[in-house]
Amino acid sequence: MSQVKGLCVMDVDGTLILEEVIDLLGREAGCEEEISQITSRAMRGELDFESSLRDRVSLLEGIPISVFDTVFNSIHLSPNAQEFISILQKNGILVGLVSGGFTQIVERLAKSLGITYFSAHQLEVKNGLLTGKLVGQIISPQVKKETLEQWREELKLSKDRTVAIGDGANDLLMLKSAGLGIAFCAKEVLKQEIPNHVDKRDFLEVLPLIDCLE
C-alpha cells in the first residue's frame, strides 16, 4: 500500500468474529455459562468494564496455553469480513484491530488478515498455564478511543478520514471519536447513541457507508 488514505479501526469479539473469545476460554475452563453471563451484561453497559473483565479472567486460572490453539480454531469471521478488509486495504485504508480480547488470539487473527495495527489484553502465563491475571494495560473504553486517536495521529490523518466499527458499550467512545462510527449488529445501548448502524451480519453491508473515504 503506497499511501494511507484512511483508517478503519474494528472491534474484534462480536464484530470481526462471531464469538466472544473469553466465553470460549470459559468453555475450556468449565465455566462458560458463568463467564458468558458476565460478558453479556458488560457488553450491554450494565457492569464496570475493568472489574467484570478481571472477574472473568480470574476464572481461567490453571488452563494450559494449548487452549489458545483450540480457541483460535473455533472462531469464525463475520460473513464477508475478509473481503471487506481486503477491499479497504486495496483502496489505501489501513485496518486496525482494538480488542477487549486477548493478544494471544488477536495477534494470530491480525496476521491471517494482513493487519499490522492491533491492540488487545495480555493474559499472564506461568509454567505453561494461565494464572487468571492480566499483564499490561487494560483496553478500557477510554483506551480504545485513545488508541484510535494515536494511530490517526501517527498516520497523519484528519478525523474525517477515520472509521470505527464495534458492537458493544465499550466501543461507544471509540465510535464517537471517529469521523464515521458504525454500530455493527450492536447492543441497543450503542445503537441509541450511534446513528449509523448495520443490523445484518454481513460486512459488505458496511461498504456503502464508507464512500466518504473514496
Side-chain angles (χ1 to χ4, degrees), residues 2 34 46 105 112 119 122 131 138 194 202-204 211:
S2 52
E34 187 178 352
E46 296 170 8
I105 299 295
S112 74
S119 180
Q122 185 80 26
T131 66
I138 294 293
I194 301 297
D202 179 349
F203 264 97
L204 295 185
D211 283 348

Side-chain angles (χ1 to χ4, degrees), residues 1-19:
M1 186 163 57
S2 52
Q3 185 192 1
V4 177
K5 299 176 187 171
L7 169 68
C8 177
V9 177
M10 300 173 68
D11 169 54
V12 176
D13 295 34
T15 302
L16 175 62
I17 64 173
L18 303 180
E19 297 82 7

Side-chain angles (χ1 to χ4, degrees), residues 63-125:
I63 311 180
I65 55 171
S66 58
V67 73
F68 294 126
D69 291 330
T70 306
V71 167
F72 185 73
N73 291 325
S74 304
I75 60 178
H76 302 85
L77 290 173
S78 288
N80 291 313
Q82 189 155 14
E83 188 176 349
F84 170 75
I85 288 168
S86 296
I87 290 168
L88 294 190
Q89 290 168 333
K90 284 173 187 166
N91 283 280
I93 299 169
L94 187 141
V95 178
L97 305 178
V98 179
S99 175
F102 308 105
T103 302
Q104 287 94 337
I105 299 295
V106 173
E107 183 172 13
R108 288 166 73 166
L109 188 60
K111 281 182 180 171
S112 74
L113 294 165
I115 292 170
T116 53
Y117 277 60
F118 63 89
S119 180
H121 293 116
Q122 185 80 26
L123 288 166
E124 185 179 63
V125 174

